[in-house]
Amino acid sequence: MKSIGVVRKVDELGRIVMPIELRRALDISIKDSIEFFVDKDKIVLKKYKPYGVCLITGEITSENREYGNGNITLSPDGAKLLLEELKSALHQAKS
């Protein structure tokens, strides 16, 4: 685990402020959800992504499928967009 050299105090309501540099680096915006995990004596924060959300379109549908050993979830539209982009990239690489 890497320290970023920032220390924050917990206020009377249990809140902490996440540094803007960290939010920018992790693409965390206002109103984004953060998921909490505990690993022994550590608290791990992660930008929350609902299970089954399409990596390309952000859609959650019953038709979404997992690929790459469950590492990538795509909706039918997301799969089509990705396929077209890959075809284009392969075509350009051949040229």
Side-chain angles (χ1 to χ4, degrees):
M1 194 172 328
K2 180 180 173 185
S3 172
I4 61 168
V6 176
V7 176
R8 300 283 190 199
K9 292 190 179 204
V10 177
D11 74 7
E12 61 277 356
L13 296 176
R15 299 176 296 198
I16 58 169
V17 175
M18 188 180 300
I20 189 72
E21 298 83 8
L22 187 58
R23 288 182 277 142
R24 285 181 182 149
L26 298 175
D27 192 31
I28 297 172
S29 302
I30 295 170
K31 304 274 184 179
D32 280 350
S33 296
I34 303 297
E35 193 169 8
F36 291 76
F37 298 90
V38 175
D39 181 12
K40 297 180 184 164
D41 64 340
K42 295 175 184 65
I43 300 170
V44 180
L45 307 177
K46 181 180 174 186
K47 184 175 177 178
Y48 177 70
K49 293 183 181 175
Y51 176 76
V53 65
C54 175
L55 186 65
I56 306 296
T57 65
E59 295 176 309
I60 300 174
T61 73
S62 60
E63 298 168 344
N64 288 8
R65 299 288 176 256
E66 291 184 352
Y67 301 94
N69 294 326
N71 293 314
I72 300 171
T73 301
L74 296 173
S75 66
D77 289 340
K80 288 177 191 172
L81 290 169
L82 181 59
L83 182 58
E84 290 303 316
E85 189 173 328
L86 289 170
K87 284 180 182 178
S88 176
L90 288 173
H91 180 68
Q92 288 175 2
K94 290 180 181 179
S95 301

